[in-house]
Amino acid sequence: MPEKDSKQPVDNSRRNFLKNSGFALGGLIVGGVIGGSLTGQKEATTKEAEKVVEKPVDYNKALMFFNQEQFQTTEAAVECIFPQDEHGPGAKELGVAYYIDHQLASPWGINAKDYMQGPFYKGSATQGMQSPLRRAEIFTIGLQGLNTYSQQKYNKKFAELSEAEHEEVLTVFEEGKEFQLTGTTTKEFFKMLRSLTLEGVYADPMYGGNKDMQGWKMRKYPGNQMGYAKDIEKEEFMTIEPKSLHDHMGH
C-alpha cells in the first residue's frame, strides 16, 4: 500500500483498513528564581521570579503489564488499525496501548469471571473463543507472533516496519492462513487486538485511552453526562461538551 499522503481524499486514507476489516465505524504554574549561587555563597542576581509552565502529569501513562518491546509493538499495531488522519488523532496519540496494557493487567486479562477449568473441548463456530489460555496469554503470544513473522519476512521487528508493511502483516494475521501461532490463532489474536483498539479509542479516559476525550469529540459524543432533563425538549441540534466519569467524582 502506498505511503500516506495528507492530500489524498478521505476515502483513500489509511483508515480504510478499519473499514476493510469489518468495522464501520491547564498547565501548573510554579515560580522559580533565576540566578543565585549553587553553593549558597552568592546573592541572587535577579529580583523577579520567572514563571515556568509545566505540563500536568498523566498518571494513566504507566505500564502495568507490558514490557517496553510489547508496548512498542502494540502501539504500532493499534496505530495501523486506527491511524491519525484529517479527522483527528490516531490510536497512538489517544493512548490506546496504555488502555490495552491496563485491561490485560486487570481481572479481565486473566478471565477472572470465566470458568477456566478442564476438560477442554473444541467449540463450535457459534460458541466464540474456546481456549484454556487467558486473554493476557493470548495477547502476549500474538505480539510475539507479530515480531516473529516480521523478522522472517522483513528482517525487522514489527515496530520498525513501514506503515505499508504494518498493514501487510496485520492482514496476514486477520486472514489466518499464512502464519501459525502456538496455542491460539492469528485470527483470534487479531480479533482481540481490533476490538481492544476501538475500546481504547472510545472508552472513558479513566481507563487509559481516549486521551482528553478526543475520541468522543471526533464523534460529537457527549460522554458521561449527569442527565439531559434541561435539554431533552429542545428542538435544535445540540453539541454538548463531553464529560468523563472523573468529572462527576465527589458530586
Side-chain angles (χ1 to χ4, degrees), residues 75-119:
E75 200 168 53
V78 298
E79 181 68 12
C80 182
I81 293 173
F82 196 94
Q84 177 183 354
D85 66 6
E86 61 273 22
H87 298 295
K92 181 176 180 178
E93 184 178 341
L94 291 170
V96 169
Y98 288 103
Y99 169 84
I100 296 176
D101 170 82
H102 297 356
Q103 291 300 301
L104 296 178
S106 75
W108 181 87
I110 58 172
N111 298 62
K113 294 185 177 182
D114 298 334
Y115 182 79
M116 297 296 292
Q117 303 299 317

Side-chain angles (χ1 to χ4, degrees), residues 105-249:
S106 75
W108 181 87
I110 58 172
N111 298 62
K113 294 185 177 182
D114 298 334
Y115 182 79
M116 297 296 292
Q117 303 299 317
F120 299 100
Y121 301 100
K122 184 176 181 179
S124 67
T126 60
Q127 289 181 301
M129 183 183 295
Q130 300 290 316
S131 172
L133 298 176
R134 270 60 176 176
R135 295 183 184 97
E137 295 173 317
I138 292 172
F139 205 88
T140 300
I141 292 170
L143 292 179
Q144 182 58 51
L146 287 178
N147 280 318
T148 299
Y149 181 77
S150 299
Q151 289 281 8
Q152 290 177 0
K153 187 164 185 179
Y154 301 106
N155 199 31
K156 291 184 290 188
K157 294 180 180 179
F158 182 81
E160 298 170 345
L161 301 181
S162 68
E163 294 174 353
E165 290 167 344
H166 282 151
E167 186 166 334
E168 289 174 9
V169 172
L170 289 180
T171 298
V172 167
F173 271 56
E174 181 188 18
E175 294 174 348
K177 299 176 182 178
E178 187 175 331
F179 184 74
Q180 301 298 318
L181 297 175
T182 301
T184 187
T185 67
T186 62
K187 292 185 70 172
E188 289 294 349
F189 165 69
F190 180 82
K191 182 179 178 181
M192 183 187 297
L193 171 66
R194 184 176 58 183
S195 177
L196 286 170
T197 298
L198 295 182
E199 288 177 21
V201 170
Y202 296 118
D204 194 285
M206 286 187 64
Y207 300 104
N210 191 11
K211 180 176 173 58
D212 298 329
M213 295 179 279
Q214 293 180 83
W216 289 347
K217 291 173 182 177
M218 283 190 285
R219 293 282 181 175
K220 293 183 171 57
Y221 176 67
N224 294 296
Q225 301 288 327
M226 291 288 284
Y228 301 92
K230 62 182 175 55
D231 302 316
I232 197 169
E233 294 185 357
K234 294 182 179 179
E235 295 184 1
E236 70 274 16
F237 178 81
M238 298 185 60
T239 300
I240 301 174
E241 189 69 19
K243 287 188 178 181
S244 165
L245 290 170
H246 181 272
D247 297 327
H248 305 306
M249 286 186 172

